[in-house]
């Protein structure tokens, strides 16, 4: 089981007074040349006094994968020529300057090519040439050090991006520290320019608890996995892949929960399909009710939900996991011996070489090769032989999650319809019935279609709506009217939930239902009204004037008080109906030494 105490993270922006030492827990490398060390100059880590290579180190555990990022700058070389690089980062360092498992970013100067190399205790073991030459600043978006010796990374600069990787190998370095090495600039220049580092961060890859969906019935038992789940008490062993994946995902954020606990919370917040039809009941809803349930556990939100993006899985996972720090649950479709079985959910746990590690809650095996395959996304895609049957999985889409609150718009429909949303600016997301394709005209917006979940035992029919629960997710919605176009796909009844959620609190929602049939269209609307935001104010001539953001046609009331300890606020004038995207109010300052203002929608 991948469980235990969460490892530490460490970050350093070096924003402290200039100093001849790095401070903040860093120690000088044990073999720095006399009088040469790293210190703080202009809120950056830099060589002191600017000549020679030197380093710093500090303890950091690396038994599990770690992710490192930083911003580095160049130094001058011979003849004062710029664009020289000799910066490196290592894990498992013993405190000496070249020890450890080290990634080097190097360039002779502007006349030479750039390179990235991998050293093990001072011995070069691999190198690669990036697709662009290092400029004055290079952003190390991430470097992932894995216990198996593989390394993956991304760097960017001057509008260019390069992804690199080194394959697994045995690591000889056995130190217990992370370390940084910097070049100090050529001292034959009158004013040597050293390399610098800013915004350094190293974070362990997320640890999590595995919750196999059958562990309530099959030994070894994992505590916290219920025998049944949902309002209709379906067996977790058969259909609990989404519940167990979400519970495991939440533990990777350090949230203490189990599928059993989460099931009770989901039921309280109606995060399952509730139906008298046993074939539909208990399907998990990735939408507003799930987010409401998350609020009981911590500050976790859905960051993205979408299928059929036309983007490679590696590109999507790299962006959302490594660059954005999100967690990702994969929405899969699969077949057994070529016969379609249904849909399935697994949790992506990290990158491993060119592959991605996953936790699949659906199956456990005493066969070591099957266990290994179940932890590999590539194996899922190429096929896993279990009990004489070939299981082949296809990625349909992604559900991503992130800590913190954010503004969002969600439209979710159950039963036989497709959805298309037009935002107040006329941009579309969803199914275009005219062209018969999904369209995405808003950045990071998604259209998800959660179909029936397969029985992991392979003995019963899939659970859920075969026509798919449709969800349109839009981050950072703007104020104004959103139109939701419903197109029927077959005869039946539908329910549509539309909601905005604002990070500062509150939101708007509407629920509608009706009958539909093939090609029948209906339009629903929701006016999104973000909380008003006070704009820059002015004071003069005995008048206080301020503006706030508004939505045309909405009514706002300005209120004031002379003390924030007062519970009652007074209205300033009559309510105002917005006629444009900004409204203004003015008040006299003569009658009071101080006033506090707020705008209420």
């Amino acid at each position: 089981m991948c469980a235990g105490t969460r490892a530490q993270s460490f970050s350093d922006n070096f924003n402290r007074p200039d100093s001849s030492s790095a401070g903040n827990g860093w120690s000088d490398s044990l073999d720095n040349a006399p009088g040469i060390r790293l210190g703080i100059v202009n809120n950056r880590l830099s060589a002191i006094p600017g000549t020679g290579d030197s380093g710093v180190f500090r303890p950091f555990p690396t038994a599990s994968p770690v992710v490192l990022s930083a911003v580095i700058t160049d130094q001058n070389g011979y003849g004062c020529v710029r664009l020289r690089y000799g910066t490196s980062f290592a894990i498992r360092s013993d405190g000496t300057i070249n020890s450890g498992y080290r990634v080097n970013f190097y360039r002779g100067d502007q006349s030479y090519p750039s390179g990235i190399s991998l050293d093990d205790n001072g011995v070069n073991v691999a190198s690669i040439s990036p697709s662009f030459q290092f400029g004055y600043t290079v952003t190390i978006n991430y470097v992932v050090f894995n216990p198996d010796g593989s390394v993956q990374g991304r760097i960017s600069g001057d509008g260019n991006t390069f992804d690199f990787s080194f394959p697994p190998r045995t690591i000889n370095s056995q130190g217990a520290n992370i370390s940084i090495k910097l070049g100090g600039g050529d001292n034959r220049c009158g004013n040597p320019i050293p390399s610098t580092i800013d915004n350094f961060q190293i974070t362990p890859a997320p640890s999590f608890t595995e919750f196999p969906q059958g562990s309530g019935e099959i030994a070894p038992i994992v505590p916290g996995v219920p025998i049944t789940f949902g309002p209709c008490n379906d067996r977790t062993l058969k259909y609990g892949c989404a519940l167990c994946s979400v519970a495991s995902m939440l533990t990777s954020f350090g949230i203490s929960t189990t599928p059993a606990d989460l099931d009770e919370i989901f039921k309280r917040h109606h995060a399952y399909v509730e139906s008298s039809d046993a074939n539909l009941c208990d399907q998990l809803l990735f939408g507003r009710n799930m987010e409401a349930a998350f609020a009981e556990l911590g500050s976790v939100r859905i960051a993205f939900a979408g299928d059929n993006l036309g983007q490679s899985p590696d590109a999507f996972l790299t962006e959302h996991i490594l660059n954005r720090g999100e967690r990702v649950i994969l929405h899969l479709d699969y077949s057994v011996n070529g016969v379609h079985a249904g849909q399935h959910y697994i949790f992506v746990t990290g990158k491993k070489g060119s592959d991605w590690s996953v936790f699949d809650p659906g199956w456990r095996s005493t066969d070591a090769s099957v266990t290994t395959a179940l932890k590999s996304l590539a194996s899922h895609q190429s096929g896993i032989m279990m009990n004489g049957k070939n299981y082949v999985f296809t990625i349909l889409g992604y559900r991503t999650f992130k800590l913190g609150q954010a503004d969002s718009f969600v439209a979710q429909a159950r039963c036989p319809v497709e959805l298309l949303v037009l935002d107040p600016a006329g941009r579309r997301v969803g199914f275009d019935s005219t062209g018969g394709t999904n369209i995405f005209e808003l950045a990071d917006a998604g259209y998800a279609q959660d179909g029936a979940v397969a029985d992991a035992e392979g003995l019963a029919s899939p659970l859920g709506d075969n026509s798919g629960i449709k969800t349109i997710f839009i981050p950072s919605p703007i104020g104004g009217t959103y139109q939701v176009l419903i197109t029927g796909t077959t005869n039946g009844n539908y329910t549509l939930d539309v909601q905005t959620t604002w990070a500062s609190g509150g939101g708007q929602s509407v629920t509608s239902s009706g009958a539909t049939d093939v090609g029948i269209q209906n339009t629903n609307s929701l006016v999104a009204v973000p909380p008003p935001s006070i704009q820059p104010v002015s004071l003069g001539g005995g008048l206080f004037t301020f503006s706030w953001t508004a939505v045309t046609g909405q009514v706002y009331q300005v209120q004031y008080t002379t003390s924030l300890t007062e519970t009652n606020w007074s209205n300033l004038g009559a309510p105002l109906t917005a006629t444009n995207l900004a409204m203004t109010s003015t008040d006299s300052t003569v009658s009071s030494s101080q006033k506090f203002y707020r705008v209420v929608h």
Side-chain angles (χ1 to χ4, degrees):
M1 186 191 313
C2 301
T5 303
R6 286 176 57 80
Q8 62 183 333
S9 296
F10 174 75
S11 62
D12 197 340
N13 60 14
F14 307 107
N15 288 346
R16 44 190 178 269
D18 286 2
S19 172
S20 59
S21 63
N24 197 25
W26 293 102
S27 299
D28 291 337
S29 292
L30 302 177
D31 53 349
N32 282 345
I36 298 177
R37 62 196 309 190
L38 301 186
I40 306 300
V41 177
N42 295 327
N43 294 322
R44 289 175 178 267
L45 184 67
S46 176
I48 301 294
T51 59
D53 295 341
S54 51
V56 291
F57 69 95
R58 61 176 294 132
F60 194 87
T62 56
S64 61
V66 293
V67 184
L68 176 151
S69 61
V71 177
I72 62 178
T73 64
D74 75 320
Q75 65 189 77
N76 68 299
Y78 178 74
C80 304
V81 178
R82 295 288 299 272
L83 303 185
R84 179 181 176 89
Y85 278 87
T87 300
S88 63
F89 303 88
I91 62 170
R92 301 193 184 187
S93 168
D94 64 11
T96 55
I97 195 168
N98 290 313
S99 68
Y101 202 57
R102 182 174 300 272
V103 174
N104 306 282
F105 301 91
Y106 62 88
R107 188 178 186 185
D109 59 40
Q110 64 190 36
S111 302
Y112 294 87
S114 305
I116 304 171
S117 64
L118 180 65
D119 293 354
D120 191 356
N121 262 345
V123 178
N124 178 252
V125 295
S127 60
I128 193 169
S129 298
S131 60
F132 69 92
Q133 302 305 323
F134 299 163
Y136 294 110
T137 300
V138 175
T139 297
I140 301 170
N141 303 98
Y142 61 84
V143 175
V144 183
F145 291 95
N146 296 297
D148 67 358
S150 64
V151 176
Q152 301 86 37
R154 169 178 288 186
I155 59 173
S156 59
D158 298 327
N160 303 294
T161 299
F162 177 68
D163 294 328
F164 64 92
S165 64
F166 298 111
R169 56 170 291 110
T170 299
I171 301 177
N172 295 316
S173 302
Q174 296 299 318
N177 305 287
I178 55 172
S179 71
I180 297 173
K181 176 183 175 182
L182 284 177
D186 194 306
N187 62 3
R188 287 166 290 190
C189 272
N191 183 26
I193 300 173
S195 296
T196 69
I197 292 180
D198 199 6
N199 295 326
F200 175 85
Q201 180 172 337
I202 187 166
T203 305
S207 61
F208 70 100
T209 302
E210 292 184 352
F211 292 115
Q213 65 192 72
S215 61
E217 300 186 44
I218 301 174
I221 298 296
V222 176
V225 179
I227 300 295
T228 63
F229 73 99
C232 295
N233 294 311
D234 275 289
R235 286 174 63 200
T236 309
L237 172 65
K238 288 179 171 291
Y239 304 115
C241 57
L243 172 65
C244 290
S245 290
V246 172
S248 293
M249 177 275 298
L250 290 173
T251 66
S252 76
F253 283 120
I255 294 173
S256 178
T257 191
T258 66
D261 294 338
L262 193 58
D263 177 51
E264 294 301 319
I265 297 172
F266 280 164
K267 285 187 286 190
R268 285 200 297 272
H269 289 274
H270 308 285
Y272 295 106
V273 173
E274 299 171 353
S275 174
S276 58
D277 186 343
N279 293 322
L280 300 178
C281 192
D282 291 345
Q283 188 173 5
L284 192 57
L285 300 170
F286 288 88
R288 64 174 187 172
N289 292 350
M290 178 181 285
E291 286 201 324
F294 286 165
E296 287 196 28
L297 296 167
S299 185
V300 177
R301 61 182 172 87
I302 299 173
F304 176 83
D307 295 342
N308 304 317
L309 300 179
Q311 185 180 23
S312 75
D314 186 70
F316 183 93
L317 296 175
T318 296
E319 175 61 27
H320 287 264
I321 294 176
L322 297 180
N323 289 347
R324 302 187 187 186
E326 298 172 2
R327 309 294 192 260
V328 177
I329 290 176
L330 293 179
H331 176 207
L332 305 176
D333 198 48
Y334 76 94
S335 63
V336 181
N337 289 341
V339 178
H340 181 255
Q343 297 183 7
H344 187 54
Y345 296 89
I346 63 176
F347 173 42
V348 183
T349 61
K351 191 170 179 63
K352 187 174 183 180
S354 59
D355 193 9
W356 290 86
S357 300
V358 298
F359 165 59
D360 188 330
W363 296 273
R364 288 189 289 177
S365 176
T366 57
D367 186 325
S369 63
V370 174
T371 299
T372 299
L374 286 169
K375 295 180 179 180
S376 161
L377 177 56
S379 294
H380 277 75
Q381 293 174 297
S382 61
I384 301 175
M385 289 296 299
M386 292 184 286
N387 302 319
K389 299 177 181 179
N390 187 28
Y391 292 71
V392 179
F393 299 81
T394 302
I395 297 175
L396 294 179
Y398 312 87
R399 312 292 179 263
T400 81
F401 305 83
K402 193 169 187 176
L403 288 174
Q405 300 301 315
D407 301 338
S408 66
F409 170 97
V410 177
Q412 188 170 76
R414 299 188 291 280
C415 288
V417 294
E418 293 277 6
L419 297 180
L420 178 69
V421 169
L422 281 75
D423 83 342
R427 297 169 295 185
R428 301 171 296 168
V429 178
F431 180 74
D432 177 13
S433 59
T434 302
T437 59
N438 292 337
I439 53 177
F440 304 95
E441 296 177 350
L442 280 150
D444 284 339
Y447 185 29
Q449 304 175 55
D450 293 284
V453 175
D455 171 17
E457 285 189 310
L459 302 176
S461 300
L463 174 72
D465 183 1
N466 287 321
S467 63
I469 296 170
K470 313 301 195 308
T471 305
I472 291 179
F473 179 85
I474 300 174
S476 304
I478 61 176
T481 300
Y482 282 78
Q483 298 183 53
V484 183
L485 177 65
I486 297 173
T487 302
T489 57
T490 188
N491 179 268
N493 297 316
Y494 70 87
T495 299
L496 174 68
D497 295 316
V498 185
Q499 176 173 313
T500 57
T501 301
W502 308 111
S504 58
Q508 296 77 43
S509 65
V510 62
T511 298
S512 59
S513 60
T516 190
D517 207 337
V518 178
I520 292 179
Q521 294 187 326
N522 294 288
T523 300
N524 295 262
S525 62
L526 175 73
V527 179
V529 186
S533 174
I534 303 297
Q535 302 299 299
V537 302
S538 63
L539 180 64
L543 295 176
F544 175 70
T545 302
F546 66 96
S547 299
W548 68 91
T549 57
V551 175
T552 303
Q554 297 300 301
V555 178
Y556 299 87
Q557 176 67 61
V558 179
Q559 296 180 328
Y560 69 91
T561 183
T562 56
S563 173
L564 291 178
T565 61
E566 295 289 338
T567 58
N568 296 320
W569 290 66
S570 301
N571 291 337
L572 179 64
L576 301 172
T577 300
T579 56
N580 51 49
L581 300 181
M583 296 292 289
T584 300
S585 183
T586 300
D587 189 24
S588 171
T589 61
V590 175
S591 60
S592 178
S593 61
Q594 69 175 15
K595 280 185 179 180
F596 301 91
Y597 297 86
R598 71 182 183 185
V599 180
V600 179
H601 170 251

